[in-house]
Amino acid sequence: MVINNFSAHLPFGDNKIAPWYGKDILSVKQFSHDDLDYVFGVAHEMREMVTRIGTFDLLKGKILANLFYEPSTRTSSSFTAAMERLGGSVIPINEVKYSSVSKGESLPDTVRTLECYADVIVLRHPEIGSAALAARYARKPVINAGDGVGEHPTQALLDLFTIYEELGVGVVDGMTVTMLGDLKYGRTVHSLARLLSLYNVKINYVSPDILRLPREVYNEVAEKGVPQAEFASLADVLPETDVLYVTRVQKERFEDPEAYESVKSAYVIDCDIMQNAKEKMIVMHPLPRVGEIAIEFDDDPRAAYFRQMEYGLYVRMALLAMVLGKA
Ligand code: NCD
């Protein structure tokens, strides 16, 4: 059941001790500043627990259905690792072509099937709004792991957690974040820009003209009073940047292959270019990268993208514990 973008699952009811118990996670719009502090507090504890004891039984006996209609390496495997590190188990459906989806089964029916066997469903699907659709039919919590070019809320949460852990909790306010690359189709950008609009930040967008941020997202962020500016050249904004968020040009979303060819190599971050950036800043990327960051930059301490993946494990552990009423 969906009420105001939130799902209030009747069997779970309102729970003041575990307010996320039974809730869906469909969009970053569900999260307030206080919610973020709470998620990151739990994620930080998860990080310490994993470092100290590796695996523990917080979600023992619980089952996650990991339903992926689009390719995934990090999101899928980090949800699996998160569930298993918490003592739970996973039904992996990474290749929907081997499931009844290939026989023409609808998303609502697939979701209704999986919730008979699982306690929570993680869904990645090529269509905007698919996670909300699934949540409408599911009694169990649905977590959006990317709905087409819509949102990718758990990625944005782990992106922000990365900034907290790398640069310090208090420093997000006052920061300049520069997003680079495919801002049109990059759903992680859409979610992160919305999430950052809860803070006192400045956001720069650097992209080819045909890959500018959708107006809908731009206007939502503007309504929150966040200063934003768009550029074609990274050189204009790199020196003031505290977080450089690099993205891949999303080849699979282009209708015209020539248009993709014309922008695919628009920006490449390398050691030379990064000489013009601050010494204390970070470069992030949701990954996979396909050439937008040169491998030679990986050893630079500012290259945070591999650490970012690890932070994703702790955030997803926190989210699973929350929606299953254990945090
Ligand atoms: C991103 C995605 O799927 O949107 N990857 C991820 O989840 N880490 C980014 C991308 O595919 O470029």
Coordinates of all heavy atoms in Angstrom, one line a residue, residues 74-75 124 152 155 187-188 248 250 252 286-288, ligand 1:
R74 N 28.0 -4.6 -8.3 CA 28.1 -4.0 -6.9 C 26.8 -4.1 -6.2 O 26.7 -4.5 -5.0 CB 28.6 -2.6 -7.0 CG 30.1 -2.4 -7.0 CD 30.4 -1.2 -7.8 NE 30.1 -1.3 -9.2 CZ 30.9 -1.9 -10.1 NH1 32.1 -2.2 -9.7 NH2 30.5 -2.0 -11.3
T75 N 25.7 -3.6 -6.8 CA 24.5 -3.4 -6.0 C 24.0 -4.8 -5.6 O 23.7 -5.1 -4.4 CB 23.4 -2.7 -6.8 OG1 24.0 -1.5 -7.3 CG2 22.2 -2.4 -6.0
R124 N 15.8 -4.2 -9.1 CA 16.3 -3.3 -10.2 C 15.6 -3.7 -11.5 O 15.4 -4.8 -11.9 CB 17.8 -3.6 -10.4 CG 18.3 -2.8 -11.6 CD 19.8 -2.8 -11.7 NE 20.4 -2.0 -10.7 CZ 21.7 -1.7 -10.7 NH1 22.5 -2.2 -11.6 NH2 22.2 -0.9 -9.8
H152 N 18.1 5.8 -7.7 CA 18.9 4.7 -7.2 C 19.2 5.1 -5.8 O 20.3 5.5 -5.4 CB 20.2 4.6 -8.0 CG 20.9 3.3 -7.8 ND1 20.7 2.4 -6.7 CD2 22.0 2.8 -8.5 CE1 21.6 1.4 -6.8 NE2 22.3 1.6 -7.9
Q155 N 22.2 3.8 -3.6 CA 23.5 4.3 -4.1 C 23.7 5.7 -3.6 O 24.8 6.0 -3.1 CB 23.5 4.3 -5.6 CG 24.8 4.8 -6.2 CD 26.0 3.9 -6.0 OE1 25.9 2.7 -6.1 NE2 27.2 4.5 -5.7
R187 N 21.0 7.7 -13.1 CA 20.0 7.8 -12.0 C 20.7 8.0 -10.6 O 20.1 8.6 -9.7 CB 19.2 6.4 -11.9 CG 20.1 5.2 -11.8 CD 19.4 4.0 -12.1 NE 20.2 2.8 -12.2 CZ 19.8 1.7 -12.8 NH1 18.6 1.5 -13.3 NH2 20.7 0.6 -12.8
T188 N 22.0 7.7 -10.5 CA 22.6 7.9 -9.2 C 22.8 9.4 -9.0 O 22.7 9.9 -7.9 CB 24.0 7.2 -9.1 OG1 24.9 7.9 -10.0 CG2 23.9 5.8 -9.5
R248 N 29.6 7.4 -15.7 CA 29.8 6.7 -17.0 C 28.7 7.3 -17.9 O 27.6 7.5 -17.5 CB 29.6 5.2 -16.7 CG 29.3 4.4 -17.9 CD 29.1 2.9 -17.4 NE 27.8 2.7 -16.8 CZ 26.7 2.2 -17.5 NH1 26.8 2.0 -18.8 NH2 25.6 2.1 -17.0
Q250 N 25.9 6.5 -20.2 CA 25.0 5.3 -20.1 C 24.6 4.8 -21.5 O 23.5 5.0 -21.9 CB 23.8 5.6 -19.3 CG 24.1 6.2 -17.9 CD 24.1 5.2 -16.8 OE1 23.2 4.5 -16.6 NE2 25.2 5.2 -16.0
E252 N 23.6 2.2 -22.9 CA 22.4 1.4 -23.1 C 21.1 2.2 -23.1 O 20.1 1.7 -23.5 CB 22.3 0.3 -22.0 CG 22.1 0.7 -20.5 CD 23.3 1.2 -19.8 OE1 24.3 1.6 -20.4 OE2 23.2 1.2 -18.5
P286 N 30.1 5.9 -9.1 CA 29.3 4.8 -8.6 C 29.8 3.5 -9.2 O 29.5 2.4 -8.7 CB 27.9 5.1 -9.2 CG 28.1 6.1 -10.3 CD 29.4 6.8 -10.0
L287 N 30.6 3.6 -10.3 CA 31.1 2.4 -11.0 C 30.0 1.6 -11.6 O 28.9 1.6 -11.1 CB 32.0 1.6 -10.1 CG 33.2 2.3 -9.5 CD1 33.9 1.3 -8.5 CD2 34.2 2.8 -10.5
P288 N 30.1 0.9 -12.7 CA 31.4 0.7 -13.4 C 31.9 1.9 -14.2 O 31.1 2.7 -14.7 CB 31.1 -0.4 -14.4 CG 29.6 -0.2 -14.7 CD 29.0 0.3 -13.4
Ligands
NCD1 C1 25.1 2.6 -11.3 C2 23.7 2.2 -11.8 O1 23.4 1.0 -12.0 O2 22.9 3.1 -11.9 N1 25.9 1.5 -10.9 C3 25.7 1.1 -9.6 O3 24.7 0.7 -9.1 N2 26.8 1.1 -8.8 C4 25.9 3.4 -12.3 C5 26.0 2.9 -13.7 O4 25.6 1.9 -14.1 O5 26.7 3.7 -14.4

